[in-house]
Amino acid sequence: MNIAIDVDGVFTDYEWYLDYYAKSNSINKTELDLQKRYNWTKKKELKFHIKHFVWYIINMPIRENASAVMRELKKQGHKIYIITARAYANNFLFGRIIRNILKKWLYKNNVCYDDIYFVNTHNAAKEKFRLAKELDIDCFIEDDPENIQLLKDVCNVLCMQAGYNSHMPDFEFVSDFGDLYSKINKINRTNSISDYNRIPFDEEEYEKYKSNHKIIMKTLGKIVSCFLKLEIENQNNIPESDGSIFVFNHRRSSDIPIAYLVLKNRFARLLTKKEYELSPLRFLQKPLGTIYVNRYSKISGKTSRLVMIQTILNKGNLIVFPEGTRNKTNELLLPFRYGAVRVAQITNAPIIPVVIEKVKSKKYKVRIGEKIIINQSDDIKESNDKLHNIMKEMLIDLKK
């Protein structure tokens, strides 16, 4: 099969990038045009691009599983063509630099493909339509509504789901690259282990995360432990084998390094809010395999759940703060989100509840609870409430 794939909005979460840096109080999420999306003038849109465009084309994170899925599709014998309307790429003076930056970005992120085509941003839909015909494209992965409307007449189109294309109910949507792979290979997903095992997983990148974890814990971990004094109870409740979900309460920023110190040399991937993916902290978090989730997006939640499940299936551990944000209230715990219990139910991985209580300025008491198993037949809400109550009782007891 001949597969064409766009870059911005497909390989990258372009919508998230726009909203993160626009910092606008007025967002029309059904619009892709920046002037309509944020009620901006043309001058303000230009200022935005001048300020952020170069950073975006060099540093924008690639979507989870993208490179692994591309490699697997190539192994299956599909032809992969990247067709993009990358801004300024057709400019005579600046274009060569833009094109080379994109090629280096694809190389850095281990994206394999057969050929790449740059089309004019002002005539993208017609040029992509022409190339789709010339290359005999069978399936085009695209996100722009205008492009999709034209492409649908010449090939099958898979639409990478976003707010600005949500008004197009007649098209086949994909939420991430795992979903894309399932649609191309006609995998009828049922949330079973066998389904998740069929979706490509980047083992090479995963091994890098584990290697980075060892290095960071030997160096930075020792430095941090000099400033944070931990009194840990029930360390023997940590399972000997990997593949566990460690669930912590969350009241202060120091909880994250504490979680890593509690697990010592045990490799674990942290689930945290997506804002950190574009923050200065990404230089430390990304090498550790941090999983990012947009707390206000069901699409992002689905993607992060896939990565969490694949991590467990590949004998990794997870660090989850189910409150979703720091607890700044007088309550012992905020309500729990369902991510940890859902993953535990699908994978049969044990949940290990851990509570942290600050004793003095640099001293913390940590209690590790007994493992909790969520069975396939268990009610997910009841299981989540049970976990919440157990950790609440642990905190009350720890405070005595």
Side-chain angles (χ1 to χ4, degrees), residues 133-349:
K133 289 180 69 175
E134 288 179 7
L135 297 170
D136 195 22
I137 297 300
D138 298 294
C139 181
F140 207 118
I141 297 94
E142 177 62 76
D143 68 300
D144 190 314
E146 183 182 352
N147 298 343
I148 292 169
Q149 288 286 3
L150 206 56
L151 287 167
K152 68 180 174 60
D153 293 328
V154 71
C155 63
N156 181 42
V157 180
L158 291 178
C159 179
M160 186 62 76
Q161 197 169 359
Y164 50 76
N165 57 41
S166 60
H167 61 287
M168 303 167 62
D170 297 332
F171 292 95
E172 192 169 11
F173 288 94
V174 292
S175 55
D176 51 49
F177 273 79
D179 201 13
L180 186 156
Y181 182 84
S182 297
K183 293 284 174 62
I184 289 176
N185 285 276
K186 295 180 170 47
I187 299 173
N188 190 15
R189 298 270 289 276
T190 61
N191 266 349
S192 69
I193 296 296
S194 59
D195 287 340
Y196 288 104
N197 277 325
R198 292 175 68 184
I199 298 171
F201 180 74
D202 201 329
E203 294 180 13
E204 184 179 331
E205 193 73 11
Y206 187 69
E207 290 303 317
K208 286 181 183 177
Y209 295 152
K210 292 170 73 173
S211 178
N212 292 337
H213 179 268
K214 287 181 182 178
I215 295 169
I216 291 173
M217 289 307 296
K218 281 183 179 178
T219 54
L220 192 59
K222 288 182 178 179
I223 295 172
V224 172
S225 62
C226 294
F227 297 93
L228 299 175
K229 303 301 180 184
L230 305 183
E231 181 185 324
I232 304 174
E233 298 178 9
N234 305 332
Q235 191 108 37
N236 59 331
N237 280 340
I238 296 179
E240 292 183 7
S241 58
D242 289 317
S244 297
I245 304 169
F246 293 90
V247 173
F248 292 77
N249 65 310
H250 194 19
R251 189 166 285 276
R252 49 193 70 81
S253 56
S254 57
D255 294 336
I256 294 175
I258 288 173
Y260 280 109
L261 291 174
V262 167
L263 299 183
K264 295 183 178 179
N265 298 323
R266 189 70 64 85
F267 170 67
R269 299 181 73 175
L270 170 71
L271 180 71
T272 190
K273 61 182 181 180
K274 195 169 176 64
E275 286 86 347
Y276 284 137
E277 190 174 23
L278 301 183
S279 77
L281 289 173
R282 69 184 183 278
F283 84 95
L284 181 61
Q285 290 183 338
K286 187 62 179 174
L288 288 171
T290 299
I291 303 167
Y292 299 100
V293 60
N294 179 357
R295 295 168 293 177
Y296 311 105
S297 166
K298 289 183 178 179
I299 301 170
S300 179
K302 183 180 176 182
T303 302
S304 63
R305 186 161 64 248
L306 168 62
V307 181
M308 292 166 72
I309 290 169
Q310 289 185 313
T311 298
I312 293 293
L313 295 180
N314 284 271
K315 302 303 179 185
N317 303 292
L318 297 169
I319 294 173
V320 180
F321 296 96
E323 292 169 279
T325 188
R326 274 184 286 172
N327 180 7
K328 298 178 182 179
T329 72
N330 292 325
E331 298 294 327
L332 283 174
L333 291 170
L334 297 176
F336 280 6
R337 295 172 184 266
Y338 287 85
V341 291
R342 288 192 192 280
V343 172
Q345 187 176 53
I346 292 169
T347 61
N348 201 36

Side-chain angles (χ1 to χ4, degrees), residues 70-159:
M70 288 296 101
R71 285 199 300 273
E72 187 60 30
L73 290 175
K74 278 289 292 171
K75 282 182 186 178
Q76 292 174 354
H78 300 294
K79 289 280 188 180
I80 308 291
Y81 299 98
I82 292 176
I83 303 178
T84 176
R86 174 57 64 89
Y88 309 111
N90 293 100
N91 183 284
F92 180 73
L93 296 175
F94 197 37
R96 187 172 180 179
I97 297 172
I98 298 297
R99 292 192 295 273
N100 284 335
I101 287 174
L102 177 56
K103 289 175 182 177
K104 287 181 179 178
W105 183 88
L106 292 166
Y107 177 79
K108 178 181 74 174
N109 287 289
N110 298 314
V111 177
C112 59
Y113 56 93
D114 291 280
D115 211 342
I116 185 168
Y117 295 86
F118 295 89
V119 303
N120 195 304
T121 52
H122 301 295
N123 199 29
K126 289 183 178 179
E127 289 196 29
K128 286 188 175 185
F129 177 86
R130 174 182 59 80
L131 281 169
K133 289 180 69 175
E134 288 179 7
L135 297 170
D136 195 22
I137 297 300
D138 298 294
C139 181
F140 207 118
I141 297 94
E142 177 62 76
D143 68 300
D144 190 314
E146 183 182 352
N147 298 343
I148 292 169
Q149 288 286 3
L150 206 56
L151 287 167
K152 68 180 174 60
D153 293 328
V154 71
C155 63
N156 181 42
V157 180
L158 291 178
C159 179

Side-chain angles (χ1 to χ4, degrees), residues 368-395:
I368 303 168
E370 296 181 357
K371 70 178 181 180
I372 301 168
I373 300 295
I374 313 294
N375 297 310
Q376 297 288 325
S377 58
D378 291 345
D379 181 84
I380 201 73
K381 185 182 184 305
E382 289 179 5
S383 299
N384 205 42
D385 290 343
K386 176 185 175 183
L387 174 62
H388 189 277
N389 290 334
I390 287 172
M391 292 185 67
K392 191 174 182 179
E393 289 300 320
M394 288 172 65
L395 273 171

